[in-house]
Amino acid sequence: MRILVADDDPVVREVVRRYLERDGLEVVETADGAQTAAVLARNEIDLAVLDVMMPGPDGIELTRAVRAGPHPDMPIILLTALGEEDDRVIGLQAGADDYVTKPFSPRELALRVASVLRRTHPQPVAEEVLRGDGVELHRAARTVVADGAPVELTAREFDLLAFLLAHQRRVFSRQELLAEVWGWNFGDLSTVTVHVKRLRAKLGGAHRIETVWGRGYAWGRADLGAEPSKEGADAD
């Protein structure tokens, strides 16, 4: 697996490279947005770790470019010194699969990389098709069709949709989804909120992701005596 580490701080690149190489990963380093864009254009990377604040184009711009380009499924983890929740949400809305806030533990970043790679490069599985009203998801091919049209999803969006379709009409809190879909027992719950909003937008009228106020999210109306809503509320 080839991992791109893009950061204008050579110390950060060196430390991250050492930790990733300990895990048997090959690391490519870049120091600014122009170098990074050139590497990404060659499509030889299995996962990119991008610094949000490096000289332009910055990590956010590069993430948007990847998601709008010919290879939108490339996993991306953002490195950011911006600690405010709104700043982290911007990165997720741009299409990042994950983010790590500086200063960070290099080992934590390596674990995040491993987690994303496990989900984006899984072991071959038998074909399984999950359906929910107008949505059809093929696990092995990792494709989604909504109302007869193909839908491009990031790896995390696909995994979230697959989990919800496999457990229809059951309510899951954001903490439960973070554990089941992301494999984390830690992390910002707004990560789930942003991915749900993005998934709803991409599926359009075919989505059936309900918000059960005070409880969480469910695919399809859950019979819990609560009135769910399709609005992008921040569920607990």
Side-chain angles (χ1 to χ4, degrees), residues 23-164:
D23 291 342
L25 300 169
E26 180 182 351
V27 177
V28 177
E29 298 181 34
T30 56
D32 59 41
Q35 293 178 6
T36 304
V39 172
L40 291 173
R42 295 199 292 269
N43 190 36
E44 299 172 348
I45 300 298
D46 294 295
L47 181 147
V49 178
L50 307 179
D51 179 28
V52 168
M53 301 299 290
M54 66 182 165
D58 62 26
I60 298 292
E61 294 176 85
L62 289 166
T63 299
R64 289 177 177 145
V66 169
R67 295 296 178 243
H71 307 289
D73 293 336
M74 176 185 293
I76 296 174
I77 297 176
L78 292 179
L79 293 179
T80 174
L82 305 175
E84 294 298 323
E85 180 176 338
D86 287 348
D87 296 317
R88 298 194 296 271
V89 167
I90 289 172
L92 293 171
Q93 288 176 332
D97 294 277
D98 197 359
Y99 66 86
V100 177
T101 304
K102 295 178 180 179
F104 61 88
S105 159
R107 190 57 194 155
E108 178 187 342
L109 175 58
L111 290 172
R112 296 285 185 101
V113 168
S115 175
V116 172
L117 287 175
R118 280 196 301 272
R119 294 186 177 278
T120 56
H121 296 80
Q123 295 298 316
V125 296
E127 178 63 291
E128 180 184 1
V129 180
L130 299 173
R131 295 181 176 87
D133 293 331
V135 175
E136 185 174 284
L137 179 147
H138 295 254
R139 279 192 185 273
R142 294 188 71 82
T143 59
V144 174
V145 175
D147 286 337
V151 179
E152 292 288 343
L153 300 180
T154 66
R156 289 294 193 197
E157 292 165 356
F158 182 92
D159 292 339
L160 176 59
L161 177 59
F163 182 81
L164 292 173

Side-chain angles (χ1 to χ4, degrees), residues 166-180:
H167 303 86
Q168 295 184 36
R169 301 180 65 84
R170 288 179 54 187
V171 180
F172 294 90
S173 69
R174 291 183 299 164
Q175 186 64 57
E176 289 171 329
L177 289 173
L178 200 65
E180 295 288 347

